């Protein structure tokens, strides 16, 4: 009974409007068309193919294995926040990442809510609060990386020693502590508002309050550091192998990790497609003097490494949850009955 209520609550949150899906698909198609046009007019396709063939298959395979380990850390962090099974949280995480890769405007976060509620009977309010906490953890690390890079001249669009970036990084940590200290009383009072109860939001806020009331920060914060360290190691390994002719150090890896994170966070394109490649290619060509086609192929190969593992896992998971027999068997039964 409880699982049915959670599922019904989660369904309207995910793909609520059919027209909104069509708008998202149209935005994808328009963006991909513009990207294809730019590539056809600015890039030598034959040279691009030559550089693609030169990328070692071992770099792709090892990179995907490293990314799979990162995905497991993401699942472990969500499990630590929710106090839930790691396997369930791992599948929720990769499903959200995959739908973020297919759809713009970060609609994959809605997929995480739907997956957690419909498949694993997790409370939507608690899962929503956990997703927000994940973003706060990642934002804090990202701001700290920006603060570190602002003093190293590796990000020319940020003033060296920018106090604004340092202040933002400090504010993120203080804000997280403030939310942690005031979480229970504020949400408990808010969840009892009559207007929220009328629209069924009071229960969701109460679920979020319960999650925050028993939240421990040390383990999720430690896993966040592990996630970003593993991602940094992946970037460092991959680009050292793919572009061995340049000196690619830790600061370079930090810069590309920041560029990739910001590109993926931009809601205008699915999985930062095109934006990520452009950001990495601009850095490699301007800072290290790499040929444009080679920089684009290296960026595209890295994007494949971080995109394919969770996409394959999600496809297998959805195929297991919705086997073909579930769709074909009813029609065959009706035909045999007739």
């Amino acid at each position: 009974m409880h699982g049915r209520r959670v599922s019904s609550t989660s369904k309207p949150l995910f793909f609520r409007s059919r027209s909104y899906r069509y708008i998202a698909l149209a935005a994808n198609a328009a963006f991909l068309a513009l990207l294809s046009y730019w590539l056809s007019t600015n890039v030598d396709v034959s040279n691009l193919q030559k550089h693609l063939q030169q990328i070692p298959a071992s770099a792709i395979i090892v990179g995907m294995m490293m990314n799979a380990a990162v995905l497991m850390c993401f699942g472990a962090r969500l499990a630590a926040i929710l106090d839930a099974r790691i396997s369930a949280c791992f599948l929720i995480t990769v499903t959200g990442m995959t739908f973020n890769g297919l759809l713009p405007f970060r609609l994959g976060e809605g997929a995480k809510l739907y997956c957690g509620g419909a498949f694993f009977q997790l409370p939507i309010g608690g899962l929503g609060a956990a997703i927000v906490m994940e973003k706060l953890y990642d934002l804090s690390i990202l701001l700290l990386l920006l603060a570190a890079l602002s003093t190293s001249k590796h990000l020319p669009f940020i003033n060296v020693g920018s106090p604004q970036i340092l202040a933002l990084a400090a504010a993120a940590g203080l804000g997280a502590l403030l939310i942690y200290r005031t979480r229970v009383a504020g949400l408990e009072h808010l969840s009892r508002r009559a207007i929220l109860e009328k629209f069924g939001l009071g229960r969701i806020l109460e679920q979020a309050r319960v999650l925050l009331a028993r939240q421990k920060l040390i383990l999720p914060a430690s896993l966040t550091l592990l996630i970003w360290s593993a991602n940094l190691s992946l970037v460092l390994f991959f680009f050292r192998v793919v572009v061995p002719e340049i000196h690619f150090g830790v600061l370079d890896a930090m810069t590309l990790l920041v560029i990739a994170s910001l590109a993926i966070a931009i809601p205008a394109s699915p999985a930062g497609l095109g934006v990520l490649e452009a950001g990495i290619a601009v850095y490699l060509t301007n800072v290290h003097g790499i040929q444009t086609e080679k920089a684009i192929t290296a960026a595209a190969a890295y994007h494949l490494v971080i995109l394919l593992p969770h996409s394959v896992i999600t496809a297998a998971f959805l195929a297991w949850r919705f086997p073909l027999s579930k769709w074909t068997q009813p029609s065959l039964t009706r035909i045999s009955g007739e």
Side-chain angles (χ1 to χ4, degrees):
M1 186 70 180
H2 176 69
R4 191 178 299 117
R5 287 199 305 269
V6 174
S7 178
S8 63
T9 302
S10 62
K11 286 181 180 178
L13 296 175
F14 182 55
F15 290 151
R16 181 173 301 199
S17 168
R18 184 182 293 268
S19 60
Y20 189 68
R21 279 181 282 176
Y22 292 147
I23 291 173
L25 292 174
N28 278 8
F31 182 83
L32 292 176
L34 289 173
L35 179 63
S36 300
Y37 175 76
W38 183 88
L39 288 173
S40 64
T41 56
N42 293 276
V43 175
D44 185 349
V45 178
S46 61
N47 201 13
L48 201 66
Q49 293 175 341
K50 181 186 75 173
H51 288 300
L52 277 173
Q53 293 171 353
Q54 293 176 351
I55 295 178
S58 59
I60 301 291
I61 294 172
V62 175
M64 287 184 179
M65 292 174 63
M66 295 177 70
N67 182 250
V70 173
L71 294 176
M72 293 179 67
C73 292
F74 272 109
R77 181 178 68 177
L78 184 59
I81 295 174
L82 287 171
D83 192 20
R85 290 185 293 118
I86 293 181
S87 58
C89 293
F90 172 75
L91 292 172
I92 292 169
T93 299
V94 297
T95 300
M97 288 181 176
T98 300
F99 276 91
N100 274 332
L102 295 173
L103 301 170
F105 313 125
R106 307 298 296 174
L107 291 179
E109 307 308 324
K112 291 173 75 172
L113 289 173
Y114 179 83
C115 181
F119 299 149
F120 301 106
Q121 289 73 51
L122 292 173
I124 299 303
L127 183 54
I131 292 173
V132 172
M133 289 192 68
E134 285 186 309
K135 303 306 177 189
L136 286 175
Y137 283 122
D138 289 330
L139 179 62
S140 297
I141 298 296
L142 182 60
L143 289 173
L144 289 173
L145 284 175
L146 283 169
L149 290 172
S150 69
T151 62
S152 65
K153 298 183 180 180
H154 268 68
L155 287 179
F157 50 84
I158 296 178
N159 293 329
V160 176
S162 171
Q164 292 85 355
I165 296 299
L166 294 173
L168 283 174
L174 292 175
L177 289 175
L178 182 62
I179 292 172
Y180 175 70
R181 294 296 182 188
T182 61
R183 64 192 185 275
V184 178
L187 283 178
E188 184 175 10
H189 176 71
L190 186 61
S191 64
R192 293 175 179 173
R193 295 283 181 91
I195 188 171
L196 294 179
E197 290 289 352
K198 180 179 178 180
F199 291 100
L201 297 177
R203 183 168 61 88
I204 292 177
L205 284 176
E206 176 62 18
Q207 293 168 352
R209 185 195 70 79
V210 171
L211 175 76
L212 292 173
R214 53 182 172 80
Q215 194 59 221
K216 295 182 174 137
L217 298 178
I218 295 178
L219 182 56
S222 300
L223 288 169
T224 300
L225 289 174
L226 181 60
I227 288 168
W228 283 82
S229 299
N231 269 324
L232 184 65
S233 300
L234 169 58
V235 174
L236 188 62
F237 159 78
F238 186 80
F239 284 95
R240 278 186 172 179
V241 174
V242 173
V243 283
E245 65 271 22
I246 66 172
H247 175 71
F248 191 86
V250 175
L251 287 176
D252 295 301
M254 290 171 61
T255 304
L256 291 195
L257 183 57
V258 168
I259 291 173
S261 300
L262 293 176
I264 292 174
I266 293 175
S269 65
L273 183 63
V275 181
L276 184 148
E277 284 80 1
I280 293 178
V282 166
Y283 177 80
L284 292 177
T285 53
N286 290 341
V287 176
H288 292 284
I290 294 178
Q291 187 180 4
T292 301
E293 287 78 7
K294 183 162 187 177
I296 292 176
T297 56
Y302 171 71
H303 204 169
L304 176 68
V305 163
I306 63 175
L307 193 63
L308 190 58
H310 64 70
S311 300
V312 171
I313 296 170
T314 300
F317 169 62
L318 293 179
W320 171 65
R321 293 293 308 189
F322 303 106
L324 187 60
S325 59
K326 284 188 177 181
W327 300 93
T328 59
Q329 188 64 37
S331 60
L332 291 175
T333 303
R334 287 194 299 267
I335 291 173
S336 63
E338 294 173 356

